[in-house]
Amino acid sequence: MPGFEFFGDQERAQVDDVLQSGVLMRYGFDGRRNNHWKAMELEKALEQRMQVKHAQLVSSGTAALTVALASAGIGAGDEVIMPTFTFVASFESIIALGAVPILVDVDDTLTLCPKAVEAAINERTKVVMPVHMCGSMADLKVLLEICKKHNLLLLEDACQAIGGSFEGKPLGSYGDLGCFSFDYVKTITCGEGGAIISNNDQYKINADHYSDHGHDHVGKDRGAETHPFLGYNFRISELNAAVGLAQINRLDEFINIQKVNYTILRNALEEIPEVSFRRVPNGGVESYAFMSFFLPDEATAKKVHQALGNGGVDACFYWFDNNWHYYRKWEHLTNLKSLGKLPAELKNQLPDYTKSDFSQSDHWISKTISCLIKLGWSEAEVQQRAQKMAEIIKSTI
């Protein structure tokens, strides 16, 4: 991670197809595009790789979450349970539809705590959204049981975990809907892009229409298409899809490299008694995009993180103080700072997060460090990095 490290001839060839035709839009212009339909080809490749019936490409991971929720009929006043540790896009997508993000604690998986989820369910709850942060997954089996018990949708935000699996199923395919991001720093990238996957025929139809102004995509005359319901513009371009089409064919290659590099680093740190690692649920296989580990406490984690940076070990993240990935710095959500007027349902139902008790999340995130696993490291570089990390941690604790 990220896939841009390995841009090469395959990506250039796919992009050249688009540039030679001059058709950058995924819809229409049939006669000019030389039968190149990069977005459609990438959707088919995703369906095959993710073992699902349907994939819908959109312009970003945020768009994917928004369209997925809309395709399932989620709107004003509906409550969506999500974790305290994620990227801000998770709650942005919920709010964009007038729905209400309900934050709950994470556990030692660094993802949704099932007990916290069940405690947050009420008559307005419609969706449980686990976010598979940093390459590993939530307790999906338990969450699915909870969703079935309460007749809720399970929407997997797998934007940071493409290539991982649970009980033999690719992450994103276990629940009712799954979402991916293909932005510039993801394991496979389109530059900008995202996708929704599902086995539900109606969700596919809804996502297809909603992401293109409500176009029904019937026939070959775009101007004559009808609009069964309101939609918006979340389309991906053919250029972005072309890059992704080359990258999806390299996903297994990338995952294998990540696993090798991850394993070298983890083996070195496992020798340190004070270091432990996030729990991967039984039946889960990480995407190995990050290596996340725990130190004994917050003070030690902060000290080690600073020491790693000072020692030249880059791409290690301390999420507890992060502006974008942890609830403590989401004052724009807490205070509902918006350029436009927000729905009354959102303002009336949003909990007062200044008074919420997320001490369980704080317990885990405050002592977590996550290190990005790069694709471009040589074996010698990974070995040197592992040795340096171990030495720094041992000398700092």
Side-chain angles (χ1 to χ4, degrees):
M1 182 179 185
F4 74 72
E5 295 181 79
F6 278 10
F7 274 0
D9 292 342
Q10 295 177 56
E11 287 79 9
R12 281 188 287 271
Q14 292 286 355
V15 170
D16 283 346
D17 282 347
V18 178
L19 293 176
Q20 287 172 13
S21 72
V23 180
L24 309 186
M25 185 177 178
R26 74 160 293 176
Y27 298 109
F29 304 97
D30 298 28
R32 293 180 52 192
R33 62 173 62 244
N34 298 325
N35 205 32
H36 291 148
W37 300 88
K38 301 301 183 182
M40 290 177 62
E41 289 182 50
L42 179 50
E43 286 170 347
K44 288 183 174 63
L46 281 165
E47 288 164 1
Q48 183 175 5
R49 178 59 176 79
M50 299 303 159
Q51 302 170 22
V52 293
K53 290 175 62 178
H54 304 297
Q56 178 70 39
L57 283 177
V58 288
S59 54
S60 69
T62 313
L65 292 168
T66 306
V67 174
L69 289 166
S71 73
I74 303 306
D78 293 333
E79 295 189 356
V80 180
I81 293 175
M82 55 164 283
T84 53
F85 176 44
T86 179
F87 183 56
V88 295
S90 297
F91 67 73
E92 289 171 347
S93 65
I94 297 166
I95 291 174
L97 296 168
V100 184
I102 302 298
L103 306 186
V104 305
D105 273 318
V106 299
D107 57 20
D108 56 344
T109 65
L110 301 181
T111 64
L112 274 183
C113 171
K115 290 182 180 179
V117 168
E118 189 135 37
I121 293 171
N122 61 43
E123 68 279 0
R124 295 183 296 272
T125 308
K126 295 296 187 292
V127 182
V128 175
M129 182 195 289
V131 183
H132 306 321
M133 284 293 287
C134 299
S136 191
M137 74 295 303
D139 273 310
L140 285 171
K141 184 175 183 178
V142 182
L143 291 177
L144 183 59
E145 290 171 354
I146 291 171
C147 287
K148 288 180 176 178
K149 175 182 175 182
H150 296 279
N151 194 30
L152 305 175
L153 289 172
L154 182 61
L155 167 56
E156 294 177 72
D157 178 342
C159 290
Q160 288 195 10
I162 190 168
S165 65
F166 184 73
E167 294 186 340
K169 295 184 177 181
L171 292 181
S173 71
Y174 195 84
D176 299 285
L177 290 150
C179 294
F180 301 105
S181 171
F182 303 134
D183 75 20
Y184 195 54
V185 295
K186 294 300 188 293
T187 300
I188 61 171
T189 181
C190 293
E192 289 285 358
I196 304 111
I197 61 172
S198 179
N199 288 309
N200 185 294
D201 295 344
Q202 192 60 54
Y203 294 164
K204 166 61 179 179
I205 292 169
N206 291 348
D208 173 75
H209 297 2
Y210 186 81
S211 60
D212 185 28
H213 297 294
H215 275 269
D216 66 8
H217 300 139
V218 174
K220 293 187 177 181
D221 182 352
R222 185 168 171 81
E225 293 171 358
T226 62
H227 29 70
F229 49 76
L230 290 171
Y232 299 89
N233 183 1
F234 293 109
R235 297 188 304 261
I236 194 170
S237 79
E238 285 287 274
L239 280 174
N240 293 109
V243 176
L245 185 56
Q247 292 255 302
I248 188 66
N249 292 326
R250 309 182 72 183
L251 176 57
D252 291 332
E253 171 194 354
F254 293 171
I255 296 300
N256 289 336
I257 294 170
Q258 286 178 175
K259 183 178 181 180
V260 169
N261 293 344
Y262 172 103
T263 302
I264 292 172
L265 296 180
R266 177 157 176 158
N267 286 345
L269 269 57
E270 281 181 336
E271 301 298 320
I272 305 172
E274 294 86 355
V275 171
S276 58
F277 297 86
R278 74 186 299 178
R279 178 173 61 86
V280 179
N282 290 335
V285 178
E286 297 182 70
S287 74
Y288 306 103
F290 288 80
M291 180 185 65
S292 297
F293 60 94
F294 304 130
L295 281 305
D297 51 49
E298 176 184 345
T300 305
K302 286 184 175 180
K303 190 177 178 181
V304 167
H305 180 253
Q306 184 175 15
L308 289 170
N310 293 340
V313 180
D314 64 348
C316 289
F317 302 93
Y318 182 65
W319 304 113
F320 193 61
D321 292 334
N322 187 279
N323 286 338
W324 295 95
H325 293 84
Y326 195 50
Y327 83 94
R328 295 173 69 241
K329 298 293 184 72
W330 293 344
E331 68 280 351
H332 56 321
L333 170 63
T334 301
N335 299 317
L336 287 178
K337 296 179 180 178
S338 173
L339 294 178
K341 294 180 180 179
L342 295 169
E345 292 92 341
L346 174 62
K347 292 189 288 186
N348 293 337
Q349 291 174 223
L350 190 76
D352 184 352
Y353 288 127
T354 64
K355 298 178 180 178
S356 296
D357 177 12
F358 294 128
S359 54
Q360 178 176 313
S361 297
D362 291 343
H363 169 78
W364 292 109
I365 302 299
S366 67
K367 60 182 188 176
T368 298
I369 295 175
S370 296
C371 295
L372 182 70
I373 305 299
K374 293 187 178 180
L375 296 170
W377 290 330
S378 68
E379 183 177 348
E381 287 174 325
V382 181
Q383 295 287 359
Q384 291 169 5
R385 183 182 181 89
Q387 182 179 353
K388 180 181 284 189
M389 287 181 67
E391 291 173 351
I392 290 173
I393 294 171
K394 289 175 183 177
S395 65
T396 305
I397 294 177

